[in-house]
Structure formats: structure tokens, C-alpha cells
Amino acid sequence: MKFWQKSLVAAALTAATLAQAAEVNVYSGRQEELLKPMLDKFSKETGIKVNLITGKPDELISRMQSEGRNSPADLLISTDVGRLYRAEVQGLLQPIDSKVLTDAIPAALRDPKQQWFGLTKRARPIMYVPGKVKPEQLSSIEDLADPKWKGKICVRSSDNIYNQSMVAALIAQLGEEKTQAWANGFVKNFAQPPKGGDRDQIKAAAAGVCDIAIANTYYLGGMFDDAGDKAAAEAVKVFWPNQQDRGAHINISGAGVAKHAPNKAEAIKLLEYMVKPESQSWYAVTNHEYPVVADVKWSQRLESFGQFKAEQLQLSTLGELNAKAIQVMDKAGWK
């Protein structure tokens, strides 16, 4: 075999080895069953192996920080913009220049510095018990501070990032003083000390503990799919607050490429894959979350909750105001 032929064979073997070795390491704050079917499809279509590590979002962020430059993480997937912002300010992510991502994802749902990108939208409306509350009695989140709701509201604790982001959104739009006054009144209307997750608030409303629950819609959607929770889900209705002004509060689940990603190109490919219409559609139907990409159909369950006007905040603001939100909640006595 001539030298040039040997070189071609060697180059081909090297390329084949690299193709076989292509992989991406994902640290995910989302449960495996909410992602794996999509990741498996990505691997089948691209030949890129996905190594998935799941855990609590804050613990994964701490893990990346402690691993430093030696972290194997390529992509961090997390729930709530507050956590993604936290990873960004801790220097754990890097800016990504991708026309696919910027064209697909509205500017408000991604980091202005392009360090994280929204993958799904999540809405946090009012859920009420028909027969105890009439929809015409409801209007805005601010109205829930009115004494007429004393002893009627269930919501999870102030250490929950979803509630922190909801309060941060209020600060951004109403100012800190008005938000503090709202929080003071809101806490006085709790039916019980905050405990449990969003599903627990819905179950408490269904059990008669309260008349109103604050929860993300994907939890309610998932309860309809769970035989043990379906009756509780059927006991409440969704009300979209603030439809006459700024719109209902929304947040995201999203992802960012790790600062020291050993497989940066593969991580970007996976991110771009997750905003393809078919991926967004799978997310919407399977997880009952709203697509970030326009013109992707919602799940039938989300459709049943009704159309709504959403806040138009730049979501990075929620991360920036997280500390102030916690202070407001602490001053109000929100446990």
C-alpha cells in the first residue's frame, strides 16, 4: 500500500473513531422520564451518545462549581430562570452564538448574554374550587391580598424558587414597596402554613383545606394523567389572572452550555435539537408545558385550561431580583 493510501486509511479510521466517541454529558434538574425519550431520539438521529445525570437543580449547580475546570458537564438543564441565572453569575456557563437558538426562542425567554436559553414555558396561575369561588370574584394576583380571601389560599413555601420568581416579577412590575404591601396581605390569607409541593396545594384545595391554590399548570396537567391524583385535579379550575393588564406570570425550564464543556459542539447540537418543532411538540404533549417556539400546538390538556395573555418581562430580571424577592417574603412572614 502506498504512503498516500495509508494516510487516507488512517484518516478514515480516525474519523470513524471520533464519530463513535461523540458524546455529550448532560446535568439535568429535570427527571429522567421527562427527557430520556427525546435524548434517545437525538442519539439515534445524530450518533451522539447522551450521558444523563439527574439530580436536584441546586445540587447540580453546586456540583459543577466544586468540579471547576475538571467538570465533565457539557449542558446544564434546569427548572426556573432563577437557577439558570444563579449558574450564570457563578461563572458556570458560557455564551453561545447560535442563529438556530436566537431565531427560535423569543428574546425575553433567553439570556441577553446568550448563556442560557428557555426550552419550555411554565405558567403559574390561580386554581380555584368551583362552588366555593366564582370566577367573576377573581381578577389579579394583587387581589389575593384582599382580606376577603382570609384563610382561603394554599401556596408552597418561600424557599421555593417558583414563588421567589413570581414575587421578583411583581417587584419588576409594581415596585418593591407595592410588592411588600401585597405580600403582607397575601400571607395573612393563607389557609395553612406552607408545606409540600405544587401538587400538594392542589390536593389541599380539593380536600377543602383552602379554596384557592397557586401552582404551575404542568403539575395540574400531570395530575390528570395520574390515577391517584385525577380526582383532585378534577376538583379545581384554572383562572388566568391579570388579563386586563400585564398578563399571567410565566417562567421557563431551560439550559446552558457549561463553561468548561469538553464536548461544546455536541452540547450546542443538542440544544438546537431541543428547539426543533418536533421536540417542542413532544415536550408540550408529554410534559404539559408550553412551547417556546411559535406555532407549536399545545397538549389537549393545556388547551382545556384556556388561552391566556402572559407577562412580557425579560426573564433575566427575575434572577436579578431574586434576593430582593426573598427579603420581601421574609419581611411578610412567608415561611
Side-chain angles (χ1 to χ4, degrees), residues 66-83:
S66 64
E67 290 170 341
R69 290 182 173 274
N70 297 318
S71 178
D74 294 308
L75 191 68
L76 173 67
I77 298 176
S78 193
T79 53
D80 195 282
V81 68
R83 291 187 175 114

Side-chain angles (χ1 to χ4, degrees), residues 22-74:
E23 63 180 7
V24 58
N25 301 314
V26 176
Y27 280 17
S28 174
R30 309 217 62 185
Q31 297 173 2
E32 183 174 345
E33 61 267 26
L34 301 181
L35 282 174
K36 198 166 187 312
M38 185 197 304
L39 300 180
D40 288 346
K41 189 178 179 188
F42 168 77
S43 294
K44 186 177 180 180
E45 292 182 14
T46 64
I48 299 171
K49 180 184 176 184
V50 179
N51 302 310
L52 179 63
I53 295 174
T54 59
K56 293 183 178 179
D58 291 331
E59 291 175 0
L60 291 174
I61 290 171
S62 295
R63 177 173 173 170
M64 288 176 67
Q65 190 172 37
S66 64
E67 290 170 341
R69 290 182 173 274
N70 297 318
S71 178
D74 294 308

